[in-house]
Amino acid sequence: MTRAEGFDPQPLLRPAPAWIHWYHEEDGVWPVPDDRDADLNAERCCATAWVDELGAAVRERLEEVHDAACVFGHGDWDGRNVKFRDGRPRAVHDWDSVLYEPEVVIIGQAAAMFEGGPTGAGASVERTVAFLEEYQTARGRALSDNELQLCWAAGLWVRAFNAKKFHLDNFEALGRDEAETRMRRAGI
């Protein structure tokens, strides 16, 4: 984050990829997925009705940062996109997912997904907490309670989007108990 702070704004990097694009202007809760031809809003069933409600609530919570200052960051913190040496990250690739979004959005989606993979399940609540703590230490700045809530909301958006999308594959990417825990941490 600190190395990119002096760069000029990049509105061409917006909107974010679908899994982060909570502020889309399409009809319904969900944007069009980037990896399949499907209308997630048309797929309505009792098994995912709670995910639709969750997505709507998260969008409302994130509205607070809709016009916030943006920074550069990586938008696909899937663990396969980071190379480590001696337990420390040495390279991050897959920069076709570069973002220009509010910092809390970038932090939150990274914290929720850094242990992700093809299943879209992401990091546990405990590992998300650890990520957020380490981020603040590395950044040299503590996040406010509200900023932390917004991080949790941004991460929950990705997790809910994946849950809705992967339901089409009969895969559960987010359980209700975990969603409720993440909602509380997001101030929802």
Side-chain angles (χ1 to χ4, degrees):
M1 294 295 196
T2 57
R3 294 202 177 175
E5 284 176 343
F7 292 165
D8 291 332
Q10 294 296 317
L12 295 178
L13 293 175
R14 295 192 89 194
W19 64 90
I20 298 171
H21 194 194
W22 59 271
Y23 53 89
H24 68 88
E25 295 180 3
E26 300 162 31
D27 290 336
V29 173
W30 309 109
V32 174
D34 62 308
D35 60 350
R36 61 183 71 206
D37 185 22
D39 180 356
L40 299 180
N41 296 298
E43 198 268 330
R44 298 182 188 276
C45 67
C46 59
T48 61
W50 70 274
V51 178
D52 294 333
E53 291 173 12
L54 173 62
V58 172
R59 287 185 76 191
E60 185 175 324
R61 178 67 178 101
L62 287 171
E63 192 59 37
E64 182 177 329
V65 296
H66 189 269
D67 295 319
C70 293
V71 297
F72 291 94
H74 198 289
D76 192 4
W77 280 106
D78 179 313
R80 297 171 296 176
N81 292 334
V82 182
K83 299 300 179 201
F84 294 86
R85 181 181 297 152
D86 300 324
R88 296 185 48 86
R90 291 294 179 205
V92 178
H93 52 93
D94 194 23
W95 281 96
D96 62 328
S97 300
V98 67
L99 300 176
Y100 188 66
E101 296 293 328
E103 187 173 9
V104 292
V105 171
I106 293 171
I107 300 166
Q109 61 85 25
M113 296 306 300
F114 78 100
E115 290 185 328
T119 64
S124 68
V125 169
E126 296 77 17
R127 297 287 289 157
T128 300
V129 167
F131 184 102
L132 292 170
E133 289 171 356
E134 288 295 323
Y135 180 86
Q136 293 174 84
T137 299
R139 185 80 160 105
R141 178 178 80 81
L143 298 171
S144 70
D145 289 343
N146 190 54
E147 287 173 317
L148 282 170
Q149 286 183 354
L150 290 165
C151 288
W152 281 96
L156 187 52
W157 169 261
V158 177
R159 297 294 301 277
F161 177 80
N162 284 347
K164 180 68 176 190
K165 184 173 69 169
F166 288 122
H167 176 75
L168 299 174
D169 302 325
N170 295 314
F171 178 78
E172 185 177 312
L174 179 66
R176 288 184 192 227
D177 290 343
E178 181 178 354
E180 288 174 10
T181 299
R182 289 178 180 276
M183 285 175 64
R184 281 191 300 278
R185 290 181 176 270
I188 299 172

